[in-house]
């Protein structure tokens, strides 16, 4: 899959910039970092950008949204995926976006995680020290690609 993705990088970049032209500079930086192997930078920039795109598209935060007093309630990613009625290959994201999926599962905020986890909380709050892998960078870019696809489907379903 990594070889396939690398062949499609120019298309992902092109489509993201076409869909979100106001984010062109940040997309260019993300893909430049990927090209030079700066995978930790790709991941952190992509996670922050996903949050911004979600606010633009869905008027809600992408990360979070779970009420700690009602842990059975869905988080924002689960709500977005469900609201957009995603089917097919994107069903695989449902588990990733669930509270038990690697991107969102609860982590101990005081532990330094010595793994390659790409858990958003562990990455952005400085608890994961080895997340900057090529595989995780691809996952982060594919997250942006997913938001681009959801945007496309939202616009075309209204026609």
């Amino acid at each position: 899959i990594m070889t396939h993705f690398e062949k499609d990088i120019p298309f992902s970049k092109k489509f993201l910039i076409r869909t979100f032209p106001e984010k062109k500079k940040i997309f260019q930086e993300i893909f430049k970092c990927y090209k030079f192997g700066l995978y930790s930078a790709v991941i952190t920039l992509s996670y922050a950008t996903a949050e911004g795109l979600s606010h633009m598209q869905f008027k809600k935060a992408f990360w979070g949204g779970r009420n700690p007093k009602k842990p059975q309630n869905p988080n924002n990613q689960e709500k977005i995926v469900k609201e957009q009625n995603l089917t097919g290959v994107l069903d695989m994201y449902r588990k990733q976006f669930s509270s038990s999926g690697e991107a969102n599962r609860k982590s101990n905020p005081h532990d330094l995680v010595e793994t390659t986890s790409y858990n958003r909380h562990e990455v952005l709050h400085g608890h994961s020290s080895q997340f900057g892998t090529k595989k995780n960078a691809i996952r982060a870019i594919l997250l942006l690609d997913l938001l681009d696809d959801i945007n496309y489907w939202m616009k075309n379903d209204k026609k």
Side-chain angles (χ1 to χ4, degrees), residues 115-134:
T115 69
T116 59
S117 172
Y118 71 104
N119 176 277
R120 192 250 358 139
H121 183 86
E122 293 168 358
V123 168
L124 294 181
H125 293 278
H127 302 296
S128 180
S129 61
Q130 299 174 20
F131 64 91
T133 66
K134 187 174 189 176

Side-chain angles (χ1 to χ4, degrees), residues 57-83:
Q57 289 180 304
F58 312 115
K59 309 295 185 240
K60 67 174 76 169
F62 188 74
W63 305 105
R66 181 169 310 286
N67 182 341
K69 294 180 181 177
K70 298 180 181 179
Q72 72 280 6
N73 289 354
N75 62 24
N76 285 348
Q77 298 95 349
E78 291 171 304
K79 290 174 190 171
I80 290 167
V81 170
K82 185 176 181 181
E83 287 167 6

Side-chain angles (χ1 to χ4, degrees), residues 15-138:
F15 292 133
L16 284 165
I17 291 171
R18 183 179 67 194
T19 304
F20 307 106
E22 62 282 356
K23 301 283 186 188
K24 179 179 180 177
K25 187 175 189 304
I26 197 75
F27 290 136
Q28 289 173 329
E29 287 184 23
I30 288 168
F31 286 95
K32 186 175 184 178
C33 287
Y34 182 83
K35 178 180 177 181
F36 289 109
L38 303 171
Y39 302 131
S40 297
V42 170
I43 295 161
T44 55
L45 287 172
S46 295
Y47 282 179
T49 302
E51 181 75 357
L53 296 179
S54 182
H55 279 285
M56 288 170 51
Q57 289 180 304
F58 312 115
K59 309 295 185 240
K60 67 174 76 169
F62 188 74
W63 305 105
R66 181 169 310 286
N67 182 341
K69 294 180 181 177
K70 298 180 181 179
Q72 72 280 6
N73 289 354
N75 62 24
N76 285 348
Q77 298 95 349
E78 291 171 304
K79 290 174 190 171
I80 290 167
V81 170
K82 185 176 181 181
E83 287 167 6
Q84 301 310 316
N85 195 24
L86 299 180
T87 58
V89 73
L90 292 177
D91 281 338
M92 68 184 177
Y93 282 98
R94 290 181 197 266
K95 178 155 177 53
Q96 287 298 313
F97 293 153
S98 74
S99 58
S100 63
E102 186 176 358
N104 278 322
R105 74 174 182 275
K106 188 174 182 174
S107 62
N108 185 339
H110 304 294
D111 290 344
L112 181 63
V113 181
E114 297 296 331
T115 69
T116 59
S117 172
Y118 71 104
N119 176 277
R120 192 250 358 139
H121 183 86
E122 293 168 358
V123 168
L124 294 181
H125 293 278
H127 302 296
S128 180
S129 61
Q130 299 174 20
F131 64 91
T133 66
K134 187 174 189 176
K135 180 180 176 183
N136 287 344
I138 289 172

